[in-house]
Amino acid sequence: MAALKPLLYVFVYPGLLFLFAYGTFCEWFDRKVYARLQNRMGPTHTGRWGLLQPVADFVKLMAKEDVVPEKADKGLFTALPVVGLAVVATAMLLVPVWHVSPTASGFNSFSGDIIVLLYLLSLPTLIFFLAGWSSTNLFSTVGGTRVLTMLFGYEVPLFLAVLSPALLAGSWRLAEIAAFYQARPLLLLVNLPAFAISLVCVQAKLERTPFDIPHAETEIVGGTFTEFSGKKLAFFRLMTDIELVVSSGLLATVFLGGFPGGVGWGFVQFILKTLFIIFLLSLMRAATSRIRVDQVVSFAWRFLAPAAVGQLLLVILLKGFMP
Amino acid sequence: MRIGAFIPELLRHLFKKPATVDYPFKKLSPPEGFRGTPYLHPETCIVCRACERDCPAEAIEIVELSAAEKRFRLTIHNDRCIHCAQCVDSCPTDAMRMDDKYEIAAFSRWDLKAAWEYVRAVVKPKAPAPAPAAPAPSANPPSDNG
Amino acid sequence: MKVQIPIGPQHPALKEPIGLRMTVEGEVIHDADLRLGYNHRGVEKVAEGRSYIQNLYLTERICGICSHSHSTTFAQGAEILFEIVPPKRGQFLRYLVSELERVHSHLLWLGVAGHEAGFDSFFMYVWRDREIVMDILEMISGNRVHYAINTIGGVRRDIDEAQRTKILDLLAVLRARTSFYLNLGTTEPSFVGRLAGVGYLSKEDAMSLCAVGPTARASNVPRDVRKDDPYGIYDEVPFEVCTADTCDVLGRTVVRIKEVLQSYDIMEYLLRNLPAGPVAVKAPRRPKPGEIVSRYEAPRGENIHYIKSNGTDKPERLKVRAPTLGNYAATIAMLKKGFIADIPLIFAAIDPCICCAERSVELVDSRSGRPSVVRWSELRRMAGRRAARDSKKRNVEWPL
């Protein structure tokens, strides 16, 4: 049983099977909310309320012809989608859902796992850059460089913003941070600015609308994904969906007090809190227009980073006054 | 400058009925006077060939089948038709009319030809004033795909 | 490192084929080159073989968005050649449709600008409200895009009292929505950040490069045929020429929205003062020999038709100068020193209607870049030789 448990974690819950189901559901939710905000219908006909539309998209892409550019590095080009999917799925193991108790540490909960999670979430960016670069297309190359340029903008504010609640909780372990705020829910209010900052940064990390610069359709066609097709594109899309789940799970753990209450209630809380964050992200996507890559960097360093530092200062001062 | 200037408007529409129509399942009806597909009312056609002459797309073709019987065949090449309704305006006897169909795609251009064979009518052309708008068209204009 | 980026002939930012070669260094554009002729249809040649009444519908099909502009320009010219004057009510209705078309074209552009800037919600909302104009047009004319309301000597359809009040009601709705978009488009920070200062075209450049329409007016050049050389009823209708002095894409947006608001005023004037009487006079089939230049302020700028008549029922020559052609030179000036990210916005800001402006085609050798003149028969032979050589593609089969 003890040996079976990790396997269950990896493949069923919160591993690949659950991630596939929940990731596609989140994509559906995002699309539906986005459409409704725009007074449209969104997915309607595949499954009840169009629920199966992302799955149908995935299956369709898996069946499509898979083209590798002649001049591309074949090995790298093929490996990147798989590695990317593996990275984000691994990151999900670290999100403390019901299976992690705040006291006992294990392979998926240890001191410093918040840092590991953040780094695992940074890897997709690098993968996107490599994907753009290795496909040797002009548009992909421009997209790849835009991915990296954006990384310089949002990564530091994201780290500062996510680490300030950890600092206040005095722990580098996600489960402990969540438990700390469950005990003192009022302290969550202190972190509201950091929550706003990290929402913006996660939006940038996920390359969604004000920051969908690396694959801005009207400027550089498909951007990083211009040359990807078939299974590889399907994997990349699934990877983005899972990244959405993991990032919202991270934000919910750190800023919304985690998912206490055992299997049932904890699971419901996980769904509700991540959907709430995805709703906020969708709202941001609907309410803004795409900005330029230089504007991302200047915006991040002129507003986000100072605000994150301010939040950090606030937390340090508060910690000094706290018993 | 106001951050999130669009958000109230967006949220207002979140639970409203969508503005779009679930098209192939629900259909909007075209307004009165919609220019659909032209069809012939052969009882009143006097074969003046005004429609053939004025059609900008040269989509109307009138062939004399028998000079003795005064039999003619009028073909409307709907694959060329641009739905301008000039034939309706040009017709002095109100024989050309427009229906209000808008789903008129076909798999082959030969499915789009509509032909009528008829004997020339003896109707006095009306005064030169433009013909009034066509009455509500019948559901299925008589046609055989010649 | 300088790189050439091909935007077009097929590119998501372009709704029609045109070749834009951008020489970029990093994200900054150093040089731009336009290649036309991908969408040449030979409209002018076809017009020589059609009668005047048929040409009305042909000119209408020069453009899909400003279809009424071209057919009105042609009808205005033809009416002078035929020596007839359309009755007052016909003119009022004709220019009512003109203004409706201006509204629909500008709202379409506004949505496209939103989409090019990645502001899809704005795009969806603007196009949703544009449907009101489309419904009005469909109600008046019987079709959404090619209204075919013009005829030589007036218009083909009349409106009744119920339609008149309905249009007035809908215009009030549209006015409220448009004011909202004017407010939103100039306050949403990410959208303004994308538009402000992009695609700068100074007043001097706009004058010397002969920019037309909203592109010129946004550079503070009050150039509008409706005021400068009033045609039809525009000398009796009160309206203002909207200009902006920011000389950028934001200015072009503001100018267009303000023009839409002006159009509502014009339409309300036309509907409230609609005279009674017939809507058309009967035109003869053959005009007198002669030639005429007809000018018209289309939504995109000045539209010119030159018609030469030789006394037969077909024109001897029709020359069309669509407004987009007048703006190409200014586009090149605007693109230089811009960012790659701004290409779609700058190019879209002139509201390009590419196939309207395609008046010629040039054969350029793709390897040497040298233009050449080739006979039609020779072109066919070349295509045949190429197909024979490329045996792999010749026997290609669709995989399914």
Side-chain angles (χ1 to χ4, degrees):
Chain A
M1 193 60 205
L4 206 64
K5 227 173 168 184
L7 279 180
L8 208 69
Y9 286 165
V10 170
F11 288 106
V12 183
Y13 178 82
L16 289 171
L17 203 66
F18 168 73
L19 274 182
F20 179 78
Y22 192 53
T24 48
F25 173 76
C26 284
E27 189 194 334
W28 171 84
F29 180 76
D30 175 46
R31 280 168 70 172
K32 199 78 179 171
V33 167
Y34 187 55
R36 279 312 172 97
L37 289 172
Q38 293 178 347
N39 213 351
R40 289 188 291 125
M41 287 186 179
T44 320
H45 290 293
T46 320
R48 191 102 179 99
W49 308 302
L51 266 169
L52 293 177
Q53 189 61 50
V55 183
D57 289 351
F58 183 78
V59 171
K60 187 198 80 172
L61 275 177
M62 289 301 270
K64 286 261 172 182
E65 190 190 1
D66 200 346
V67 184
V68 179
E70 245 168 49
K71 286 184 184 158
D73 182 340
K74 304 251 172 353
L76 191 62
F77 196 79
T78 316
L80 282 172
V82 184
V83 174
L85 195 60
V87 164
V88 288
T90 314
M92 184 63 198
L93 286 179
L94 298 175
V95 175
V97 208
W98 60 272
H99 58 85
V100 177
S101 75
T103 47
S105 61
F107 78 99
N108 56 1
S109 179
F110 43 86
S111 184
D113 58 359
I114 184 168
I115 307 283
V116 177
L117 184 47
L118 280 170
Y119 268 100
L120 284 177
L121 281 178
S122 295
L123 276 178
T125 317
L126 207 64
I127 285 166
F128 285 150
F129 164 71
L130 284 175
W133 195 259
S134 69
S135 47
T136 65
N137 181 312
L138 209 58
F139 295 119
S140 305
T141 314
V142 174
T145 51
R146 285 180 176 193
V147 169
L148 273 198
T149 318
M150 260 177 45
L151 179 78
F152 293 123
Y154 65 76
E155 200 69 0
V156 171
L158 176 66
F159 270 54
L160 289 178
V162 172
L163 293 188
S164 62
L167 212 62
L168 189 59
S171 164
W172 297 108
R173 216 179 120 210
L174 282 167
E176 276 175 19
I177 297 169
F180 176 83
Y181 288 108
Q182 281 152 28
R184 306 166 189 77
L186 270 183
L187 279 180
L188 284 173
L189 295 177
V190 179
N191 293 323
L192 272 182
F195 183 46
I197 294 164
S198 50
L199 267 181
V200 175
C201 293
V202 161
Q203 187 86 337
K205 189 179 264 309
L206 294 168
E207 298 175 2
R208 288 147 61 85
T209 279
F211 308 105
D212 58 344
I213 305 161
H215 49 87
E217 188 210 359
T218 49
E219 294 157 23
I220 48 171
V221 195
T224 32
F225 306 127
T226 309
E227 293 291 341
F228 283 89
S229 54
K231 295 182 195 65
K232 302 189 181 77
L233 187 61
F235 273 43
F236 267 139
R237 288 182 52 129
L238 187 62
M239 171 185 163
T240 321
D241 290 350
I242 295 177
E243 209 186 339
L244 179 66
V245 175
V246 177
S247 336
S248 51
L250 169 69
L251 293 194
T253 313
V254 176
F255 294 106
L256 301 181
F259 325 106
V263 180
W265 179 229
F267 183 71
V268 172
Q269 276 202 342
F270 176 73
I271 303 284
L272 286 181
K273 284 178 178 174
T274 47
L275 285 187
F276 172 66
I277 287 173
I278 293 171
F279 173 76
L280 289 181
L281 293 177
S282 299
L283 187 62
M284 201 194 305
R285 182 153 86 106
T288 48
S289 91
R290 186 193 307 127
I291 55 180
R292 268 199 317 266
V293 69
D294 58 312
Q295 288 171 336
V296 175
V297 178
S298 66
F299 168 72
W301 285 103
R302 268 165 64 192
F303 300 104
L304 288 184
V309 171
Q311 168 77 29
L312 216 56
L313 276 177
L314 181 74
V315 164
I316 291 169
L317 287 176
L318 198 69
K319 210 165 162 55
F321 289 116
M322 254 189 354
Chain B
M1 294 279 180
R2 197 152 55 86
I3 291 175
F6 209 177
I7 289 179
E9 178 80 3
L10 291 172
L11 288 178
R12 210 159 58 77
H13 285 90
L14 184 58
F15 294 110
K16 271 198 181 170
K17 207 169 148 285
T20 45
V21 177
D22 204 1
Y23 165 58
F25 306 98
K26 290 190 195 102
K27 286 171 189 173
L28 295 173
S29 58
E32 206 184 324
F34 177 75
R35 301 198 310 269
T37 309
Y39 68 94
L40 181 73
H41 196 243
E43 287 82 49
T44 50
C45 178
I46 55 168
V47 200
C48 65
R49 293 179 192 263
C51 50
E52 193 184 21
R53 188 188 59 203
D54 276 349
C55 180
E58 295 170 5
I60 299 177
E61 186 187 352
I62 301 181
V63 184
E64 188 172 34
L65 295 175
S66 133
E69 279 180 63
K70 289 180 181 157
R71 278 187 75 79
F72 292 86
R73 187 202 294 133
L74 183 143
T75 313
I76 298 181
H77 299 275
N78 276 318
D79 49 335
R80 289 187 219 151
C81 178
I82 58 171
H83 308 278
C84 65
Q86 178 61 42
C87 45
V88 179
D89 282 12
S90 295
C91 186
T93 59
D94 198 16
M96 269 289 174
R97 292 169 195 185
M98 290 300 244
D99 64 16
D100 62 353
K101 290 208 191 78
Y102 57 93
E103 288 165 315
I104 44 175
F107 284 106
S108 156
R109 60 161 52 203
W110 304 106
D111 298 344
L112 286 165
K113 315 271 182 198
W116 290 265
E117 276 179 32
Y118 56 95
V119 179
R120 193 175 84 184
V122 189
V123 182
K124 209 166 169 257
K126 272 183 293 182
S138 59
N140 263 322
S143 71
D144 52 32
N145 293 331
Chain C
M1 188 184 69
K2 283 189 184 170
V3 190
Q4 265 217 343
I5 292 194
I7 307 281
Q10 300 295 329
H11 190 278
L14 304 170
K15 271 69 196 166
E16 292 168 86
I18 187 172
L20 289 165
R21 300 286 148 87
M22 299 291 162
T23 311
V24 298
E25 201 173 332
E27 284 255 342
V28 181
I29 304 163
H30 274 252
D31 201 9
D33 181 22
L34 277 179
R35 293 198 177 173
L36 313 176
Y38 292 99
N39 211 355
H40 177 64
R41 296 172 297 168
V43 168
E44 291 175 358
K45 186 69 194 162
V46 175
E48 289 165 20
R50 294 272 194 285
S51 69
Y52 282 89
I53 196 87
Q54 290 175 325
N55 272 332
L56 261 181
Y57 304 106
L58 179 70
T59 48
E60 190 161 45
R61 274 151 186 84
I62 290 175
C63 184
I65 305 301
C66 45
S67 55
H68 187 72
S69 314
H70 284 280
S71 94
T72 308
T73 323
F74 183 80
Q76 279 176 180
E79 275 154 11
I80 296 172
L81 285 175
F82 280 105
E83 293 174 340
I84 51 175
V85 178
K88 206 77 186 163
R89 189 178 173 90
Q91 288 205 15
F92 267 57
L93 289 178
R94 177 183 284 178
Y95 296 108
L96 173 74
V97 175
S98 278
E99 293 305 319
L100 281 169
E101 184 188 71
R102 192 180 314 279
V103 171
H104 117 72
S105 173
H106 281 350
L107 289 182
L108 174 125
W109 179 86
L110 198 60
V112 169
H115 176 68
E116 304 281 5
F119 199 177
D120 276 353
S121 306
F122 191 65
F123 165 54
M124 297 289 172
Y125 275 82
V126 173
W127 277 37
R128 182 195 71 187
D129 295 328
R130 174 174 164 266
E131 283 302 308
I132 299 174
V133 196
M134 304 299 276
D135 287 346
I136 296 177
L137 282 166
E138 195 182 17
M139 183 178 75
I140 295 178
S141 72
N143 213 326
R144 281 163 56 90
V145 177
H146 290 301
Y147 323 117
I149 191 110
N150 276 325
T151 188
I152 292 172
V155 294
R156 292 168 61 194
R157 292 193 187 201
D158 203 352
I159 61 170
D160 56 27
E161 188 54 37
Q163 285 177 329
R164 198 177 75 98
T165 41
K166 193 175 172 198
I167 296 171
L168 280 171
D169 291 348
L170 288 173
L171 284 183
V173 177
L174 274 171
R175 189 190 288 277
R177 295 302 303 173
T178 313
S179 312
F180 171 73
Y181 294 129
L182 179 61
N183 183 28
L184 179 68
T186 48
T187 50
E188 166 59 38
S190 60
F191 194 49
V192 174
R194 255 334 266 290
L195 303 184
V198 168
Y200 186 82
L201 181 73
S202 65
K203 185 172 179 177
E204 292 71 37
D205 278 355
M207 299 277 264
S208 63
L209 295 170
C210 300
V212 292
T215 314
R217 289 197 281 277
S219 294
N220 212 1
V221 182
R223 192 179 275 171
D224 190 325
V225 185
R226 289 178 294 174
K227 264 284 190 268
D228 302 343
D229 180 14
Y231 52 86
I233 42 91
Y234 282 106
D235 45 359
E236 57 181 276
V237 180
F239 74 101
E240 287 167 27
V241 177
C242 308
T243 55
D245 51 8
T246 49
C247 307
D248 56 1
V249 177
L250 184 64
R252 280 158 223 154
T253 312
V254 170
V255 162
R256 283 196 172 93
I257 305 181
K258 283 189 177 160
E259 263 182 47
V260 167
L261 291 170
Q262 285 293 324
S263 282
Y264 298 144
D265 288 344
I266 298 177
M267 282 188 275
E268 273 171 14
Y269 176 88
L270 291 177
L271 285 169
R272 291 195 200 289
N273 300 301
L274 195 63
V279 293
V281 292
K282 194 157 168 53
R285 283 199 75 80
R286 289 186 175 78
K288 301 244 159 56
E291 53 188 353
I292 188 77
V293 168
S294 170
R295 300 170 77 192
Y296 176 93
E297 183 70 22
R300 293 169 167 82
E302 184 181 349
N303 191 6
I304 303 173
H305 280 209
Y306 163 81
I307 313 165
K308 185 171 184 200
S309 151
N310 54 5
T312 61
D313 63 343
K314 290 166 184 159
E316 188 175 307
R317 177 84 172 95
L318 170 69
K319 168 83 189 102
V320 179
R321 206 296 310 261
T324 306
L325 195 69
N327 278 332
Y328 277 151
T331 316
I332 304 269
M334 287 187 262
L335 280 170
K336 279 179 189 167
K337 300 287 166 226
F339 290 97
I340 295 179
D342 296 332
I343 295 171
L345 269 173
I346 296 173
F347 191 64
I350 66 163
D351 201 358
C353 181
I354 292 155
C355 73
C356 311
E358 303 275 277
R359 288 284 84 83
S360 68
V361 64
E362 191 184 35
L363 287 174
V364 181
D365 191 304
S366 63
R367 264 173 240 121
S368 63
R370 226 172 317 147
S372 57
V373 180
V374 180
R375 292 179 73 91
W376 181 248
S377 50
E378 174 62 16
L379 207 60
R380 288 195 59 163
R381 254 201 304 282
M382 279 161 75
R385 277 206 299 275
R386 192 199 151 94
R389 207 168 49 230
D390 210 348
S391 58
K392 193 171 76 183
K393 274 189 190 152
R394 194 180 43 190
N395 298 323
V396 76
E397 266 184 40
W398 193 244
L400 295 174

